Amino acid sequence: TSLSFPTSATKGKLTVSATLEEDHNAVSNWHAEAVTAAMDGLEATKHGLTDVEATARLAQFGRNELPGQKRAGPLRRFLAQFNNLLIYVLIGASVVTGVLGYTKDTLVILAVVFVNAAIGFVQEGRAEAAIAALHRMLAPVASVLRGNQRRRVDAAELVPGDIILIEAGDRVPADARLIEAAALKVQEAILSGESVPVDKSVEPVASDAALGDRTSMIYSGTLVVSGQGRAVVTATGTESEIGRISGLLADVEELTTPLLKKMDVFARWVTALILSGAALLLIYGFFVQHLPFEALFMIVVSLSVAAIPEGLPAVLTITLAIGVRKMSARHAIVRRLPAIETLGALTVICTDKTGTLTRNEMMVASISANGRRFSVEGE
C-alpha cells in the first residue's frame, strides 16, 4: 500500500487535494514503475524535499511509526494481580473473619494476598522498564536528503517522497523505490522468509511480482548487508508492508496460558467444595445435632477459611518469578509472569528453513530417510 501525490504547478509547495486523500489507501505498483515515473508520482526530486514540504506531508500522513500497544499504568497493573478466583475467595474469607472478630486470621490472609500481588507487580514493572529501555536503544535514525543536504533524522519523521541514503549495516527505515544501487543486497527474511540476501537493482519488475521478487524495492525493517543505494520513500507507518503485518497481529486473540486455565478450574472446584461442605455442615449441625446457630456458624466459617489454600497463589507467583529471573540471566525478558510457564508447555515448534523464530541460524539435528533416522552432531 503506497501513497500518490498530485503534481503541483507551484514548485516548493505541497498541494493537498481530494485526489491525494483518495490515493492515500490506493495500491500502487511502485516496483513496476520506472525511476522517473516513480519520482514524478511521488512529487520528489533527486535533491530531496524541502523542510516545508516535509512538514506538510508529515502532518498529512502522520509519523513513520507503528501504533504502540497501550500499556497499563502502575495502578491498573497492581489491581490486575488480584484478578484471580482464588484471590477473590481469600478476600471474601478475610471479610468474613474480620466481621466475626478473627483479627489475626484476617491480617494473615490479607498479608498473603498483598505479598502475592506485590511480587507480581514488581516483576512485571521490571520487565516493562527493560522493554522501554530496549525501545529507546533501538530508536531508528535515517540518512535523508533535505534541501540537497544530507541529514540524520529520526526515522519517524520520514514521509513519502523523501530521498533516503542506505549502506551496509543500515536497517531500512521505510518502504522505498530504489533510484540508485551499487552492489546492494538486503536481508528480507522477516517479510519473505528468504534466508539468502536479495540482490537489488533500480530496474522495474513485473507488476504482479511477489513480494520477495520485487528487487527494485526495499522494505521497512529489513537489513542492508552489503552495498549502498538511494531510494525514494513510497510508504510509511501502517501503510508499509511491516505495518500491514502489525495490523494483522493486532487482531490476534489473546489466549490464556495452560497454567492459568488449570488454576481457574482448580479454584472453581475448591470454592464449590468448600461452600457445599460448609452448607452441609451447617444444615446437619443445626437440624440434626440442634447446635446453637451462632456457634455453629463460627465453626463452619473457621473450617472454610482453614480449607482455603492461602499460600497457593503466593507459592505460584514466587515460583514463576524465580523462572523469570533465570530467564533474565539468559538475556530473555518476560513481561507477564504466566508466560514463563507457557514456554515450558511447548512440545513442538513449527518453523521453516530460515529459522526466523530463533537467531536466523539453524543446523540439521536429525534426518529421516528411507525408513531410518540419522542424528547429526557438531556445529
Side-chain angles (χ1 to χ4, degrees):
T1 305
S2 304
L3 318 174
S4 297
F5 292 86
T7 302
S8 173
T10 306
K11 297 301 180 183
K13 295 182 180 179
L14 178 67
T15 301
V16 179
S17 64
T19 304
L20 184 59
E21 292 289 346
E22 292 170 1
D23 290 344
H24 181 80
N25 294 319
V27 177
S28 299
N29 297 325
W30 297 110
H31 55 276
E33 300 283 351
V35 171
T36 53
M39 295 283 285
D40 291 341
L42 291 163
E43 203 174 80
T45 69
K46 63 179 181 179
H47 302 301
L49 301 175
T50 64
D51 290 335
V52 174
E53 288 175 321
T55 301
R57 297 189 187 194
L58 186 63
Q60 178 70 17
F61 297 106
R63 292 171 63 82
N64 177 33
E65 55 190 8
L66 302 180
Q69 186 178 6
K70 237 184 170 180
R71 295 181 182 177
L75 179 60
R76 189 174 176 184
R77 280 196 292 112
F78 182 71
L79 294 177
Q81 308 302 321
F82 298 93
N83 188 20
N84 182 293
L85 181 59
L86 206 55
I87 298 295
Y88 296 154
V89 174
L90 289 176
I91 294 174
S94 68
V95 172
V96 174
T97 54
V99 171
L100 294 177
Y102 293 97
T103 308
K104 289 184 179 180
D105 290 342
T106 302
L107 293 176
V108 169
I109 295 173
L110 289 178
V112 169
V113 169
F114 278 98
V115 166
N116 173 75
I119 293 172
F121 175 75
V122 170
Q123 182 58 53
E124 291 184 7
R126 287 176 179 174
E128 292 283 356
I131 291 171
L134 281 178
H135 279 301
R136 288 194 296 269
M137 289 173 60
L138 299 176
V141 294
S143 295
V144 62
L145 283 180
R146 291 276 172 86
N148 205 27
Q149 292 183 344
R150 179 169 180 161
R151 299 183 191 174
R152 296 280 286 176
V153 301
D154 186 348
E157 297 178 2
L158 290 179
V159 294
D162 260 329
I163 304 297
I164 57 174
L165 313 173
I166 55 171
E167 57 187 14
D170 289 345
R171 191 167 294 278
V172 179
D175 289 5
R177 171 66 165 90
L178 284 167
I179 56 178
E180 293 181 17
L184 187 63
K185 290 188 177 183
V186 180
Q187 174 60 267
E188 295 184 335
I190 65 168
L191 288 179
S192 65
E194 180 55 60
S195 59
V196 179
V198 179
D199 291 309
K200 295 293 184 176
S201 69
V202 299
E203 298 302 322
V205 297
S207 59
D208 59 350
L211 184 67
D213 297 327
R214 298 175 186 177
T215 54
S216 59
M217 295 287 296
I218 53 176
Y219 294 101
S220 178
T222 58
L223 183 66
V224 180
V225 296
S226 65
Q228 55 187 5
R230 294 189 181 198
V232 57
V233 175
T234 59
T236 59
T238 55
E239 299 298 321
S240 64
E241 288 294 331
I242 199 74
R244 184 179 64 84
I245 294 174
S246 176
L248 294 174
L249 291 176
D251 297 331
V252 174
E253 181 183 358
E254 187 173 340
L255 301 177
T256 306
T257 64
L259 182 61
L260 290 183
K261 286 182 179 178
K262 291 178 181 177
M263 282 297 299
D264 186 59
V265 172
F266 176 76
R268 291 176 188 275
W269 274 105
V270 166
T271 304
L273 286 173
I274 291 174
L275 293 179
S276 58
L280 288 174
L281 281 174
L282 194 63
I283 293 171
Y284 177 79
F286 185 73
F287 291 102
V288 178
Q289 296 293 327
H290 304 289
L291 297 173
F293 181 80
E294 183 178 348
L296 179 63
F297 183 75
M298 291 180 67
I299 292 173
V300 169
V301 170
S302 299
L303 286 174
S304 300
V305 172
I308 295 173
E310 297 97 337
L312 181 59
V315 170
L316 179 64
T317 301
I318 292 170
T319 304
L320 293 177
I322 292 172
V324 169
R325 287 183 66 85
K326 289 185 176 180
M327 289 294 288
S328 64
R330 293 187 159 193
H331 311 293
I333 298 175
V334 179
R335 178 178 292 179
R336 307 284 181 198
L337 285 179
I340 196 72
E341 179 269 341
T342 307
L343 296 174
L346 290 176
T347 55
V348 176
I349 296 178
C350 299
T351 182
D352 62 3
K353 67 181 185 304
T354 61
T356 49
L357 290 178
T358 54
R359 296 176 58 189
N360 203 20
E361 300 172 3
M362 296 190 77
M363 60 167 285
V364 175
S366 62
I367 303 171
S368 297
N370 198 24
R372 301 178 65 187
R373 168 167 279 191
F374 304 89
S375 296
V376 182
E377 297 179 351
E379 296 182 357

